[in-house]
Amino acid sequence: MLALLLATAVGVGSASAQTPAPASPASAAAPAVKEDFKPSSLNQPGQEYPQVNSQGYVRFRVVAPDAKSVRASLGLGGRGGTTLTKGADGVWVGTSEGPLDEGFHYYHLNVDGGTFNDPGALNFYGGVRWESGIEIPAHDADFYALKNVPHGNVQQILFPSPSTNTSRRAFVYTPPGYDKNQSTRYPVLYLQHGWGEDETAWSNQGHANLIMDNLIAAGKTRPFIIVMTYGMTNDARPGAINSFDIKPFQTVLINELIPYVDANFRTLADQPHRAMAGLSMGGFETKAIAPKNLDKFSHIGLLSGGTFSMEDVNSTPGFKDKVKLVFVSYGSKELSGGNARAPANGAPRPDPKANAEALKAAGLNSVFYVSPDTAHEFLSWRRSLYQMAPLMFRD
Amino acid sequence: MLALLLATAVGVGSASAQTPAPASPASAAAPAVKEDFKPSSLNQPGQEYPQVNSQGYVRFRVVAPDAKSVRASLGLGGRGGTTLTKGADGVWVGTSEGPLDEGFHYYHLNVDGGTFNDPGALNFYGGVRWESGIEIPAHDADFYALKNVPHGNVQQILFPSPSTNTSRRAFVYTPPGYDKNQSTRYPVLYLQHGWGEDETAWSNQGHANLIMDNLIAAGKTRPFIIVMTYGMTNDARPGAINSFDIKPFQTVLINELIPYVDANFRTLADQPHRAMAGLSMGGFETKAIAPKNLDKFSHIGLLSGGTFSMEDVNSTPGFKDKVKLVFVSYGSKELSGGNARAPANGAPRPDPKANAEALKAAGLNSVFYVSPDTAHEFLSWRRSLYQMAPLMFRD
């Protein structure tokens, strides 16, 4: 819900280098860094830095004249870091050692041993803090771009939660025309964020609303409502799914949020028209909740967040009859790089593709998607939503 | 639209000092700083600092072990600054010299000559950047507290704007029951932020939605819709209203936003049921637009943003017949401290109270409100909305 939705998208600049940088002596074969840097599309209004070039390199610039050291947490591929150097003008500048992956990255600065955000960049909730964000323009960015098409709305709701004794927050995407088509009722997807994130992630970082607007305008998906709330995941350590107690969130979702949404929005309030999906730890939550509540959910999506094996299917009464879609996706670098999560109990790492094929062979509507050249980051999940939405609620 | 709406309000702590600080030798009469500091209600999740005590003092704590100097921009009353001192553990700590005014304050850190946000605090758009925010619990905070009452929703809309060749963003508050009462149509208030802020300010900093929820639950105001969009003010220097061109924003508001809202929400789409108000530069915008569009607006509010004189009224055709409310407010410290804006042309500073009384004597529904013990800050404007809303649309 930040200013980013108004920001002009940064186009990939001219490929001609204006001021070719000398090749690094240590790796003479490395391509020159092209001097066509432009402000990131996720900068605060009027801020020139950080910048991104047409190759995906990032250049940071931070004013802190009396600092001893300034470092950005973002480097080659999106990991590592970039050390900034102080110029004669007292300003710290640094360029990433290599290009970053396309898409969205969280980062922060280390200034004299303290963690601060980049004053040039907008903030996004991830890693259990409001982090700085930067966007490396993706070659396929058109599918989540702000275009001149009818737009749905994203609204904040505060729903009563007796089990946690407070009003809890969710964001609800309603498709274009929702307010005008007073006789139309819509299916609903409950869509969860990952560990360290919160209910703002899917609209801020994920552009879920723009992805849906564009799909609907192109006639590629049935219009539906998306509900995004906080998964109560951040008390768990990353990856500690086995010690994470799903019950408090399941109570909020099943007993409190779903009835509230069905009472206050024009939903199709039945199992065939209700889906649950999530990214990373939100995928684990989906797998923990949806199969045990097949009277509620018919479509299930795990985005970089686990897979369904035939053992899962066979041990879940009614799965084959009641589940109309099992969508599983990963970023290609998660699969190749060993980042697909191994079970904490030491069992062999599941092969998500083989699992998906086994389900398909057993007659289930099983779809497996791999996002090219992305890791455990938001471009994988934007693309996954774009692939998954058209497969939902096709009755 | 940040996490603050879920945050537990910080209660004013016990008045008994647990560890009384020694009185400052320089001012022996100054009261001791009570050691009952608690995390600000606007901290990021899980963050212990900044903290506020029951007297309104603020304590900052920043980790930056290798820094040479750390300073917070917030000090006595909300102005000045606080210098932090590095302890033996390498952590910087500092307490404001005196208590701050009740309510919301923007601030930032200066670390070794650079401007950074406090990593402990949530961010709010003001001063043409995402600033850190802190809340000094107000004695009357109940009127904007998150309570167990029916809640309206705040939704982001993206409306087409041919005049600026983009989709522009607004936030729309719809009152509780809006989605259920399909036959009910509602009046609309167009509510503007101040210079350096944007369309997020009235819900994030202002709690406009909670103020309305509480008023409606108490039966004190007619339920109405509030529309908040960006006033395009930030290209103007602060106070440079005379060189600010109102036309581009007037075109967006009158020709684009109002027709979109009337087409997409269940509004009462006529002059008697449409209001415009704004704070600070948003008040100047209101005064520049509403009187010239009295076929559109019947209720007008200027919050710390100018006044209407009888000369204004007499020079505006139809004002006396068509305007059903003129609401003008200031924080008391603006009036006493000389902060009420003087005309740039050197004319004598208008007396807003005398102006309001003159309008009332002339038969207009003129209401003047002064927020006790607040300056040009958001508690003045929260209170002003609380006072103004019940006076609107009383037909």
Side-chain angles (χ1 to χ4, degrees), chain A residues 27-340:
Chain A
S27 60
V33 177
K34 293 185 181 166
E35 287 297 327
D36 57 358
F37 286 90
K38 295 182 179 179
S40 159
S41 61
L42 300 186
N43 284 1
Q44 294 194 26
Q47 294 296 314
E48 289 293 311
Y49 286 85
Q51 298 194 338
V52 183
N53 82 352
S54 61
Q55 301 162 297
Y57 284 76
V58 173
R59 182 163 290 165
F60 302 97
R61 181 183 187 275
V62 176
V63 176
D66 301 329
K68 285 191 196 121
S69 74
V70 178
R71 193 172 164 79
S73 65
L74 206 57
L76 180 66
R79 294 166 296 280
T82 299
T83 300
L84 279 63
T85 308
K86 186 158 82 168
D89 57 357
V91 175
W92 297 79
V93 177
T95 304
S96 61
E97 252 188 88
L100 275 65
D101 288 349
E102 292 185 355
F104 174 86
H105 304 277
Y106 298 108
Y107 76 103
H108 52 257
L109 303 176
N110 184 302
V111 179
D112 284 349
T115 298
F116 299 96
N117 281 1
D118 187 335
L122 290 173
N123 301 313
F124 300 85
Y125 199 72
V128 201
R129 68 185 300 273
W130 285 88
E131 286 264 276
S132 298
I134 195 166
E135 183 82 23
I136 311 299
H139 68 281
D140 58 346
D142 190 64
F143 79 86
Y144 57 85
L146 175 65
K147 293 198 261 191
N148 187 18
V149 299
H151 293 292
N153 299 339
V154 177
Q155 63 190 292
Q156 170 186 282
I157 63 169
L158 297 170
F159 63 98
S161 170
S163 74
T164 58
N165 196 29
T166 185
S167 292
R168 300 188 69 84
R169 187 170 71 162
F171 290 103
V172 178
Y173 168 81
T174 52
Y178 176 85
D179 289 295
K180 279 188 183 166
N181 308 333
Q182 292 289 342
S183 61
T184 308
R185 304 186 77 87
Y186 298 85
V188 185
L189 164 63
Y190 290 82
L191 184 61
Q192 292 305 126
H193 59 84
W195 181 86
E197 298 170 342
D198 69 9
E199 65 273 25
T200 61
W202 266 110
S203 47
N204 281 358
Q205 292 95 301
H207 300 315
N209 54 326
L210 300 179
I211 291 169
M212 289 297 292
D213 291 346
N214 291 335
L215 280 170
I216 292 167
K220 289 182 179 166
T221 191
R222 175 174 179 174
F224 57 83
I225 292 169
I226 302 181
V227 178
M228 301 157 277
T229 198
Y230 176 54
M232 302 167 70
T233 53
N234 294 346
D235 289 334
R237 280 169 296 119
I241 184 67
N242 290 337
S243 62
F244 177 70
D245 181 6
I246 194 69
K247 278 183 198 146
F249 176 59
Q250 180 172 283
T251 300
V252 167
L253 178 69
I254 301 287
N255 299 354
E256 297 170 348
L257 180 57
I258 290 177
Y260 183 89
V261 168
D262 284 336
N264 287 280
F265 292 86
R266 293 196 318 279
T267 63
L268 289 161
D270 55 15
Q271 189 265 2
H273 299 99
R274 196 180 292 115
M276 184 173 182
L279 72 88
S280 193
M281 197 156 173
F284 289 100
E285 294 188 314
T286 299
K287 188 173 173 180
I289 291 174
K292 291 197 176 64
N293 292 276
L294 292 183
D295 58 325
K296 300 278 191 304
F297 301 103
S298 52
H299 296 67
I300 303 176
L302 311 180
L303 319 182
S304 305
T307 85
F308 281 102
S309 67
M310 279 310 296
E311 192 184 345
D312 294 325
V313 170
N314 291 329
S315 64
T316 306
F319 196 105
K320 280 186 187 170
D321 290 335
K322 293 180 179 168
V323 178
K324 301 306 176 193
L325 173 69
V326 181
F327 181 92
V328 170
S329 70
Y330 281 94
S332 69
K333 294 190 176 186
E334 295 186 272
L335 298 175
S336 63
N339 282 336

Side-chain angles (χ1 to χ4, degrees), chain A residues 9-23:
Chain A
V10 172
V12 175
S14 158
S16 64
Q18 293 165 16
T19 313

Side-chain angles (χ1 to χ4, degrees), chain B residues 23-227:
Chain B
S24 160
S27 58
V33 177
K34 293 185 181 167
E35 287 297 327
D36 56 358
F37 286 91
K38 296 182 179 178
S40 159
S41 62
L42 301 185
N43 283 1
Q44 294 194 25
Q47 294 296 315
E48 289 293 312
Y49 286 85
Q51 297 192 340
V52 184
N53 81 353
S54 60
Q55 301 161 298
Y57 284 76
V58 173
R59 181 163 291 165
F60 303 96
R61 180 182 187 277
V62 176
V63 175
D66 301 329
K68 284 191 198 122
S69 74
V70 178
R71 194 172 164 80
S73 65
L74 207 55
L76 180 65
R79 294 166 295 280
T82 299
T83 300
L84 279 64
T85 308
K86 187 158 80 169
D89 56 357
V91 175
W92 296 79
V93 176
T95 304
S96 60
E97 251 187 89
L100 275 65
D101 288 349
E102 292 185 355
F104 174 86
H105 305 278
Y106 297 109
Y107 75 103
H108 52 258
L109 303 176
N110 185 302
V111 179
D112 285 350
T115 298
F116 299 97
N117 282 0
D118 187 334
L122 291 173
N123 301 312
F124 300 85
Y125 199 71
V128 201
R129 68 185 300 273
W130 285 88
E131 286 263 276
S132 298
I134 195 167
E135 184 83 23
I136 311 299
H139 68 281
D140 57 346
D142 190 64
F143 79 86
Y144 57 86
L146 175 64
K147 293 197 260 190
N148 188 19
V149 298
H151 292 292
N153 299 338
V154 177
Q155 63 189 293
Q156 170 185 282
I157 64 170
L158 297 170
F159 64 98
S161 170
S163 74
T164 58
N165 197 29
T166 185
S167 292
R168 302 187 69 84
R169 186 171 71 163
F171 291 103
V172 179
Y173 168 82
T174 52
Y178 176 86
D179 289 296
K180 279 188 183 166
N181 309 334
Q182 291 290 341
S183 61
T184 307
R185 304 186 77 88
Y186 298 85
V188 186
L189 163 63
Y190 291 82
L191 185 60
Q192 293 305 125
H193 59 84
W195 181 87
E197 297 170 341
D198 69 7
E199 65 273 25
T200 61
W202 265 111
S203 46
N204 280 357
Q205 292 95 301
H207 300 315
N209 54 327
L210 299 179
I211 292 169
M212 289 297 292
D213 291 346
N214 291 335
L215 279 169
I216 292 167
K220 288 183 180 166
T221 191
R222 176 174 179 174
F224 57 83
I225 292 168
I226 302 180
V227 178

